């Protein structure tokens, strides 16, 4: 019992640390403007990791992965949860192991995408081999990377929402 309590507390603290981490990162970026690209990279990676922490917290509150899958199996889940809530024609499906794994993959892909694209964007932003301020190619890459990260974030939030909404009655 004590072990589960400690895991819940640790998980809650990790999720709640998102806001102080962002605040410290961006304040330090304001104080030291040259550090802003690095600060943005660190905060985006922590954002992705905090979504994984939130998933782990839900799983911890439900008693672990096996118990989560067992207790949620057979529940009906609405596919029209945010950000697809406008699509009322989407059906309700049964919660299965496959649905859980798919949503878990949707959440975990954000960490990989944020890390890889953020790192590439950071390297491009730190390239000081030219004298002019920002090239058009740099801006284009940066915009494309941010759009891809945004799509990845939306998919991760959708996956987290799918698991959260199916577990909502068990968590209350």
């Amino acid at each position: 019992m004590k072990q589960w309590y400690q895991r819940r507390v640790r998980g809650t603290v990790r999720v709640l640390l998102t806001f102080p981490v962002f605040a410290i990162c961006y304040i330090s970026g304001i104080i030291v403007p040259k550090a802003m690209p690095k600060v943005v990279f660190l905060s985006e990676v922590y954002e992705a990791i905090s979504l994984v922490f939130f998933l782990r917290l839900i799983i911890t509150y439900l008693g672990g992965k096996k118990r989560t899958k067992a207790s949620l199996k057979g529940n009906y889940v609405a596919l029209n949860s945010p950000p697809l809530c406008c699509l009322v024609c989407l059906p309700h499906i049964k919660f299965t192991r496959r649905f859980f794994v798919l949503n878990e993959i949707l959440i975990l892909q954000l960490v990989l995408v944020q890390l890889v694209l953020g790192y590439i964007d950071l390297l491009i932003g730190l390239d000081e081999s030219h004298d002019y301020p920002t090239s058009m190619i740099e801006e284009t890459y940066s915009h494309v990377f941010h759009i891809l990260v945004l799509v990845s974030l939306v998919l991760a939030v959708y996956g987290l929402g799918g698991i959260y909404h199916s577990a909502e009655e068990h968590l209350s």
Side-chain angles (χ1 to χ4, degrees):
M1 186 71 176
K2 188 176 179 181
Q3 176 188 9
W4 287 107
Y5 178 75
Q6 288 175 345
R7 285 184 183 177
R8 288 177 180 177
V9 169
R10 256 186 275 131
T12 304
V13 167
R14 285 177 182 157
V15 171
L16 291 178
L17 274 177
T18 304
F19 303 107
V21 166
F22 269 66
I24 290 169
C25 283
Y26 282 103
I27 287 173
S28 62
I30 291 170
I31 294 171
V32 183
K34 283 188 174 186
M36 192 55 113
K38 298 172 195 111
V39 163
V40 169
F41 173 69
L42 288 175
S43 62
E44 285 178 350
V45 169
Y46 192 81
E47 173 190 32
I49 292 172
S50 68
L51 285 179
V52 175
F53 288 156
F54 190 68
L55 171 67
R56 297 289 168 231
L57 183 63
I58 291 172
I59 292 170
T60 301
Y61 268 94
L62 293 174
K65 255 188 182 181
K66 288 182 181 178
R67 291 176 98 188
T68 300
K69 291 175 189 175
S71 65
L72 299 179
K73 192 173 185 177
N75 287 0
Y76 280 93
V77 181
L79 290 180
N80 61 342
S81 63
L84 301 176
C85 51
C86 299
L87 302 172
V88 294
C89 60
L90 290 175
H92 293 292
I93 63 166
K94 273 190 174 181
F95 187 92
T96 60
R97 181 181 179 279
R98 183 176 176 196
F99 178 77
F100 181 82
V101 170
L102 177 67
N103 282 320
E104 198 173 27
I105 289 170
L106 285 176
I107 297 165
L108 294 174
Q109 59 81 30
L110 178 65
V111 176
L112 182 67
V113 168
Q114 285 268 31
L115 196 59
V116 171
L117 292 182
Y119 183 70
I120 294 170
D121 192 32
L122 178 67
L123 290 179
I124 291 172
L126 293 176
D127 179 26
E128 295 180 358
S129 63
H130 47 74
D131 294 331
Y132 46 91
T134 305
S135 70
M136 186 64 113
I137 295 173
E138 272 183 45
E139 283 187 23
T140 304
Y141 280 131
S142 184
H143 290 315
V144 169
F145 288 165
H146 285 109
I147 289 170
L148 291 173
V149 166
L150 181 65
V151 169
S152 176
L153 180 64
V154 167
L155 289 172
V157 168
Y158 183 72
L160 189 61
I163 292 175
Y164 176 75
H165 289 302
S166 59
E168 199 167 16
E169 66 184 46
H170 296 284
L171 292 172
S172 57

